[in-house]
Amino acid sequence: PLADANLVQLGYCTSDIYLGNVGASNATWGWHFRGEQVVRSTFAELIGTFGLGSSEGQRLVIGGSSAGARGAAVWMDHLEELLSDVRYPVQRQAFLDTPHPFHFIDAFLPTGTTGDYTAENTQTIVEMLSPGIDTFMLQGVCDDPAERWKCLYAEFRLPKSRADYMIVMPRFGHEIESDL
C-alpha cells in the first residue's frame, strides 16, 4: 500500500510548534519564530512543484512527534485552507505521536519554575510567538481570550476537532521524572 508513497519531513527548526509568525526582537530574545510560514510554504511547494491534489485518489497524512505533533494537531484543522487551490480533493488524516506540552522552558517564562505549565505562562508564550494566533483558534475550545492557550493542548483541542486522526501517547514519556 505504500509503493507510491512519498515522505516530506520538516526538521524542527522553528521552536514554535510550527505556529509562530514574529520577527526577532528583544521580546523574542533576538530569535525569529516563523513556523507558520514554514508550513504554508511547504504546502505551496507540495502543490505547485510536486502536484499534491493534481490527480484523483491522493492521500495526505500530516503528523509529528512531541512539539511537531502539537503543531500537526493544530494544522490538521486547517488542511482545507492549505489545500484550497488543489484540483482534486485530497484525503486527509493526522498521526500524532505524543503531543506533550512545552518542555521545561522556565528561561522563557516571566514567572514560574521549570515545567510550569500554568495557563498564565502558556498564554504568555502563545501571545509572544504568534500575535496572529487567532488564525488557529478552534470554536468551542478557546473562545475566551484568556484561554487561547487551550487551543495548543491536545486534551482540549482534539475532542472538538473535526479532522480524522490517530494519537499515540506512551504511558511513561520523557517528561516523567523518576528517582529510579
Side-chain angles (χ1 to χ4, degrees), residues 66-109:
S66 192
R70 292 183 68 210
V74 173
W75 281 107
M76 71 184 197
D77 290 311
H78 297 278
L79 291 176
E80 187 173 329
E81 171 201 347
L82 293 171
L83 298 170
S84 64
D85 293 335
V86 300
R87 182 172 181 188
Y88 295 99
V90 176
Q91 293 178 346
R92 305 177 294 263
Q93 291 89 26
F95 181 83
L96 310 173
D97 179 4
T98 321
H100 289 302
F102 290 93
H103 302 295
F104 305 105
I105 50 178
D106 60 312
F108 290 6
L109 304 176

Side-chain angles (χ1 to χ4, degrees), residues 172-173 176-180:
F172 299 105
I176 306 296
E177 293 185 21
S178 172
D179 293 332
L180 298 176

Side-chain angles (χ1 to χ4, degrees), residues 53-163:
S54 64
S55 61
E56 293 181 352
Q58 291 182 334
R59 174 178 295 161
L60 170 74
V61 178
I62 187 172
S65 177
S66 192
R70 292 183 68 210
V74 173
W75 281 107
M76 71 184 197
D77 290 311
H78 297 278
L79 291 176
E80 187 173 329
E81 171 201 347
L82 293 171
L83 298 170
S84 64
D85 293 335
V86 300
R87 182 172 181 188
Y88 295 99
V90 176
Q91 293 178 346
R92 305 177 294 263
Q93 291 89 26
F95 181 83
L96 310 173
D97 179 4
T98 321
H100 289 302
F102 290 93
H103 302 295
F104 305 105
I105 50 178
D106 60 312
F108 290 6
L109 304 176
T111 62
T113 59
T114 300
D116 187 353
Y117 307 129
T118 65
E120 178 184 14
N121 287 339
T122 304
Q123 183 78 8
T124 299
I125 293 169
V126 168
E127 299 293 341
M128 180 194 68
L129 292 182
S130 188
I133 198 73
D134 288 333
T135 304
F136 304 109
M137 299 298 99
L138 192 59
Q139 187 175 3
V141 177
C142 47
D143 299 323
D144 181 347
E147 293 187 340
R148 293 157 53 119
W149 59 274
K150 284 185 175 180
C151 272
L152 303 184
Y153 282 78
E155 61 267 31
F156 297 108
R157 186 176 192 96
L158 294 181
K160 298 286 187 179
S161 176
R162 292 183 295 130

